[in-house]
Amino acid sequence: MKRLIDCNKGEKVKVLKLDANYDLKQRLISFGIMKNAQIQVLEQAPRKKTIEVKVGKMRIALRAEEAGLIEVETI
Amino acid sequence: MNEDIKTCPIIANHIKVALVGQPNVGKSMLINSVSNAHLHVGNFSGVTVDKTEVLFDYKEYHFTVVDLPGTYAFTDYTIEERVTRDYLCAENYDIIINVIDSTNLEKNLQLTAELFTMSKKMVIALNMNDEAQKEGIEVNAEYMSELLNIPCIKVSAAQKTGIEELINTVVTVHEKPKQEPKLIFSEAVEEETENIVSYLTKHKYQARNSYRNIAMNLLKENKRTYAKLHDEPIWTELQPILIESSKHIELHHDTDDIKEAFAEEYASFNRGIVAEVVKQKVVQKEVKTLTEKIDSILIHPIYGIPIFLFLMWGLFQLTFVLGAVPMDWINSFFGWLGDAVGATITNDDMHSLIVDGLISGVGAVVLFTPNIIILFVGIALLESTGYMSRVAFLLDGFFHKFGLHGQSFIPLVTGFGCSIPAYMSARILKNDRDRLLTLFIISFMSCGARLPVYVLFAGAFFSEAIAGNVLFIIYISGAMLGLIAAKVLKMTAFKGADEPFVMEMPKYRLPSVKLIWHTVLSKTLLYLKKAGTFIAGAAMLIWFLSNYPHNQELQKSYALKIEQAKTATQKTKLNDKLANINLENSYLGRVGKFSEPIFQPLGLDWKMAVALEAGIAAKEVVVSTLGVLYSLGDSVNETNNSLKEIIRKNIPFASAVAFIVVIMIYLPCFAASIVFTREAGGIKYFFYMFAFTSIAAYVMAFLAYHITLLLGY
Ligand SMILES: Nc1nc2c(ncn2[C@@H]2O[C@H](COP(=O)(O)OP(=O)(O)OP(=O)(O)O)[C@@H](O)[C@H]2O)c(=O)[nH]1
Ligand SMILES: [Mg+2]
């Protein structure tokens, strides 16, 4: 099972599922990170501690822990 | 309920508008462009953290516009978002202006859909129209108004276009009865809503809200609506219907979370709207936007942090080199002023009060205005370009090691300007523990008012060529101490799990000169105003406390000795001695002498101790007190010596280091302490902070003093 954190820079993926707890899930959804959303990985901080992704027209910074909760598939 | 109040003729033409929207869409800027307000504007999420009311008149109407913190959704995520939610649910207002970023309609409409459930009159402001046009995005506002049944007006807060139309629309909507917005859901949801609505109709349920709205709220498991209906007799029958409905909807969306199901409902409705009203002029796909190109450099995994450090270093270098030029002018101006004004005053005490008290006290603070301005420009650029969020991104990994949240960077940087807004902006942190931790660390970020002390001492002990580097080192070590303190606190007082880090990265924007000018000007004026009022008063108080009581006996005996002295140097020496004895016997001298034993292990004499104590009132008072104390003790050989030189002569280097360390760490000023106490949520936190900062300052200064001595300075 692939997760957002496993993706390489520049890769485009589709969200399958959010494994986050209630609060975080709400926040991710309000940022447009929800089932079927398309995400592109833009930048990665050293050792993938933090990543920058693009959802729609918005750029979002996520920490590795959070990116590990998002199940994705390559498109 | 407020209908009958409106018969009063005075407020009959009053319209109260709540400005709501997602963060960073230009709400505050929109208010600034319709009124004369100068609300804080910045290019990152979470600039506004508290509600602010702005009043203005337009035609025959009195407007009250309330600027609210931006919110992504009504989920109570952070304190500032709670401010907005509570305001919208509990306060009285006539109409909502929902501000939307036209270049990112789909995401912004998420909140719009939620706002519909407030059942208030509404107007949509499609802001950033200028940017949309540049990016080739065309929004059909008329069609959108029709689809949503809510007037949508294209505006640009930056270019001030469409503002008048927006206000006129607000007036029209206010005069007309409320229109029901259109929000169409999937068949499953529509069907269940209809079910509930017909049930409510059948039982003639009494409500102010529309049945459709109530049904929607029930399906979305809105706590308030639930609580309200729970006590009604119809609840027993309604509940099973609701359970069935929820099951149906969840099944339809293949999830077990009704909120997620609704999020998808909204999202697909919004996608529908966007598909209808937005025309994106075809641009070649796969081309990186400008923001992405800049990001690939500024948040580069290897170069990102060095670039940031270089920019910081450059800022402090500028502070020193560029600031030195006007400082010379200001210095000579106050020297001249002292002489000119002094010459007109015959009374000795008055002369001393005005020249040694007022003018040298205020002069010592005003002197540093150029440095402060440069610092403010730096902070304004950081805030308005969009770089702020990038640094938060870069530093998150590093901060995380010290138990801080990446977003803590925003309040911490604000703290370099002034601690008060920094304490407020800590509200953007969701978790109370993270927020408290950040509040405690903010005082380690040297505020603008402490800059004068650093510039003074760096200039006194180092050549101009390296003083800028020294300044940079002082700031960086302050920040490093803050991080270490954070680690200590995290391991002891604020243990707990880490909070998620999810943050929007705004696009880069070129700030307008006008915006920077206004931000810097207003902060600078505030600094000068403080110098002219509070600091002037404090300087005079310090002068009084350091001049009285007069010891007549001593005065006389010295007068005699001075008369009998043979050479001029002897006279000068005696005069100096008298001045110093007088100073030591003054009220302030006694306080200083009393507390001297505490400060002695740090190598600080009583004058420095008094300056530190006075600095608790306001940090600017530190230099003004030094100015007054040293100009008094030095009264005889007042040969145009600047404070800088007096300090170089009178203070040993190791003591100066210890002094700077105390300034870096110890208690923030009085006003900031009050805000800290309020934001932290109790007086007990003030005492914690008092103990924490005092002990830390003492220990660190002690170490710094002795290490410097050991090194042979
Ligand atoms: N080009 C352009 N930029 C704008 C416009 N309106 C606002 N901005 C910029 O957008 C950024 C955000 O503006 P703010 O007014 O601080 O946004 P806000 O909605 O109050 O943000 P929060 O207080 O964080 O919720 C700033 O950098 C503004 O300069 C506009 O109409 N056109
Ligand atoms: Mg704002």
Side-chain angles (χ1 to χ4, degrees), chain B residues 345-450:
Chain B
I345 306 172
T346 44
N347 181 308
D348 263 358
D349 277 352
M350 261 324 259
H351 179 273
S352 179
L353 169 65
I354 299 298
V355 178
D356 300 328
L358 192 61
I359 294 182
S360 53
V362 172
V365 173
V366 173
L367 183 61
F368 297 97
T369 317
N371 312 97
I372 297 275
I373 291 178
I374 295 167
L375 181 74
F376 285 161
V377 171
I379 294 178
L381 284 175
L382 187 61
E383 282 182 348
S384 55
T385 51
Y387 190 43
M388 183 83 112
S389 309
R390 270 67 192 191
V391 184
F393 174 90
L394 283 174
L395 293 183
D396 180 61
F398 186 64
F399 271 28
H400 200 179
K401 286 203 189 83
F402 291 92
L404 279 172
H405 195 271
Q407 257 176 304
S408 299
F409 176 74
I410 292 167
L412 293 181
V413 158
T414 315
F416 284 127
C418 172
S419 305
I420 293 173
Y423 289 135
M424 303 277 293
S425 90
R427 292 182 179 189
I428 61 170
L429 294 161
K430 173 190 182 256
N431 183 299
D432 257 356
R433 221 174 23 239
D434 282 339
R435 204 169 59 81
L436 275 173
L437 182 57
T438 309
L439 286 178
F440 273 92
I441 303 311
I442 283 170
S443 59
F444 283 86
M445 305 302 128
S446 293
C447 68
R450 287 182 242 185

Side-chain angles (χ1 to χ4, degrees), chain A residues 11-22:
Chain A
E11 200 173 334
K12 281 186 188 158
V13 291
K14 191 174 96 175
V15 178
L16 293 179
K17 191 161 176 257
L18 305 175
D19 285 336
N21 65 17
Y22 177 80

Side-chain angles (χ1 to χ4, degrees), chain B residues 22-30 40-48 67-71 127-131 155-159 384 509 515:
Chain B
Q22 294 203 335
N24 210 36
V25 295
K27 297 177 293 299
S28 304
M29 198 180 214
L30 189 62
H40 190 185
V41 167
N43 190 17
F44 59 94
S45 304
V47 180
T48 310
D67 187 20
L68 293 165
T71 176
N127 194 25
M128 311 232 178
N129 191 33
D130 56 318
E131 261 181 21
V155 297
S156 161
Q159 316 257 307
S384 55
R509 292 198 166 94
L515 185 69

